Amino acid sequence: MNEKLISAISTPSGTGGVAIIRVSGEGALELAAKMFAPAGNMCVSDFQPNRMYTGKILCDGFYDFGMCVFFKAPKSFTGEDVVEFHCHGGAELARGVLKATFNAGARAAERGEFTKRAFINGKQSLSSAEGMIDMINAESLAELRAGGLLYGERLTREVREIQSTLTDILAWIAADTDYPEEGIEQTELASVSEDLKRVCKRLDGLVAAYSGGKLIKSGVSVAICGAPNAGKSSLLNALLGYDKAIVSPVAGTTRDVVEGTIICGGVKYNLSDTAGIRENAGDIENIGIERARRASDTADVVLCLSDCGDFSAAGGVEMERLIKVSTKIDESAADGGCDIAISSKTGEGLDALKEMLEKKATGGRSLDSAFVIEERHYSALKRANEKLKAAIDGIKSFPLDIISLDIREGWSVLGEITGETADEEIINTVFAKFCVGK
């Protein structure tokens, strides 16, 4: 077995049109020669890179008529020699081809090992790899777009531009340290301070962008609260487009949190229908009411419903998170003091409610350009910013060589995002998110 040669099925398990078995590493083409018989009078050693060839894929006890393609290093996904076998998409058939690659000398790839090799071989940054897995796991259009920006090296470019500025500053400080007889002009010192302030302002913007990125990544949590029979379950069902929650005129029907998910404007909204809040409820109902209050306390947006103008169920929810919804307007006029009036029965006002929900959740800003969506990146950006602000604060009080320590550490923390300074634990944690075969 060649430990450097890895193999895995790169397509989803199950029956389909085509299955792909990918092999990467030194000796990939030699492995293909052992188990692929090209059509016509041709040898695998004659394969031209990036061209698909038809023939027989030879396995243990059977063969499949399929295709083989060779990607020559470094012009491949992993940066190594890569061979792919494209066979018919039967589950057992694909496993048989995979087993044949093992018999020919490859070993089973670990989770994310193909992409990890691409990172190690300089084919993509660590943040780009994270963007790839975000795209694969995306549950909304906004998350797909954000993952695409990350995969396209948007954050990497931003970080490297900032690091380049910091490198220039460090070079200037190093030159001054090496040639102290030249002296330091006050204007030059002020210029260093201004450069650092511009970098921090840029980092401030990236850190602030995470608030929108977090909503994209996790979805917007929305708690639907109100008194019993205010129309909470009816609204949940109307927004979902099917009957998820039980609707009944009996007060206290909903005793636990009922959840559902919708997509609005490409963003995912996680809805929680909660128990009706009232006094003098029974022991079991009180448990549901307590859960309702907890849901309202932690939600990004709270929809407080009422059919009588009483929105006291919102409790102490901050106005920036609260939307007061007057319900059942098909039966009576809207109550005063509400932000919007709706009828879950007729659908009146629901589109307007979705628009209001979107504005409340996003603060009216577009999330199309969001690309800071990983908490790891957010943490690194914050830590780097803190180090650089500490350098600015100390620039008039400490020698420049001491100031440079904070600047260097800020540069190094930013390198964790791209992978330049990421330790093995960070790298392994990132690639553990991937499936085998990617």
Side-chain angles (χ1 to χ4, degrees), residues 20-92:
I20 298 174
I21 294 80
R22 177 182 291 164
V23 181
S24 180
E26 184 180 345
L29 192 61
E30 288 78 4
L31 179 146
K34 296 177 182 178
M35 55 178 291
F36 189 75
N41 299 319
M42 191 174 192
C43 296
V44 169
S45 58
D46 297 326
F47 278 10
Q48 295 297 309
N50 310 318
R51 292 185 65 179
M52 192 78 75
Y53 295 91
T54 59
K56 292 180 181 179
I57 305 173
L58 308 176
C59 304
D60 185 14
F62 74 95
Y63 70 86
D64 183 33
F65 191 78
M67 294 175 288
C68 180
V69 60
F70 170 55
F71 302 97
K72 186 173 178 59
K75 296 181 178 181
S76 70
F77 173 70
T78 62
E80 304 172 331
D81 282 353
V82 172
V83 164
E84 288 182 355
F85 298 102
H86 295 229
C87 64
H88 290 95
E92 192 59 35

Side-chain angles (χ1 to χ4, degrees), residues 225-230 232 249-255 274-290 292-293 305 310 312-315:
C225 71
N229 290 332
K232 300 181 297 298
V250 178
T253 298
T254 301
R255 295 189 175 186
T274 64
I277 298 175
R278 63 172 175 169
E279 301 295 331
N280 303 318
D283 291 341
I284 295 178
E285 193 177 343
N286 274 330
I287 296 174
I289 292 172
E290 180 57 32
R293 291 191 172 118
L305 275 56
D310 180 6
S312 59

Side-chain angles (χ1 to χ4, degrees), residues 231-385:
K232 300 181 297 298
S233 297
S234 295
L235 176 59
L236 176 69
N237 292 341
L239 291 173
L240 293 178
Y242 64 93
D243 291 341
K244 175 81 180 271
I246 298 173
V247 177
S248 168
V250 178
T253 298
T254 301
R255 295 189 175 186
D256 206 345
V257 176
V258 181
E259 299 175 334
T261 299
I262 61 172
I263 304 293
C264 288
V267 178
K268 180 173 64 175
Y269 291 81
N270 302 312
L271 309 175
S272 298
D273 172 27
T274 64
I277 298 175
R278 63 172 175 169
E279 301 295 331
N280 303 318
D283 291 341
I284 295 178
E285 193 177 343
N286 274 330
I287 296 174
I289 292 172
E290 180 57 32
R291 291 180 180 178
R293 291 191 172 118
R294 285 203 301 269
S296 295
D297 289 342
T298 58
D300 296 312
V301 181
V302 176
L303 303 180
C304 184
L305 275 56
S306 174
D307 60 350
C308 62
D310 180 6
F311 296 100
S312 59
V317 175
E318 304 90 338
M319 291 302 296
E320 57 266 23
R321 291 194 299 129
L322 179 63
I323 299 177
K324 297 177 182 178
V325 183
S326 181
T327 58
K328 304 180 184 180
I329 59 171
D330 56 296
E331 298 178 4
S332 59
D335 300 307
C338 68
D339 296 312
I340 190 169
I342 66 162
S343 168
S344 299
K345 184 176 181 179
T346 66
E348 184 178 354
L350 290 185
D351 287 341
L353 176 60
K354 290 178 183 178
E355 292 178 7
M356 185 174 291
L357 183 60
E358 185 177 349
K359 289 180 181 178
K360 182 71 72 171
T362 64
R365 67 188 185 281
S366 171
L367 300 182
D368 285 346
S369 60
F371 53 90
V372 182
I373 57 176
E374 295 288 342
E375 186 174 356
R376 186 182 78 82
H377 302 161
Y378 169 69
S379 174
L381 291 167
K382 275 189 66 177
R383 285 185 286 122
N385 207 13

Side-chain angles (χ1 to χ4, degrees), residues 119 126 376 412 415-424 426-427:
F119 162 67
L126 193 59
R376 186 182 78 82
S412 180
E416 293 178 10
I417 295 174
T418 61
E420 291 171 281
T421 60
D423 59 29
E424 188 174 355
I426 291 175
I427 293 170

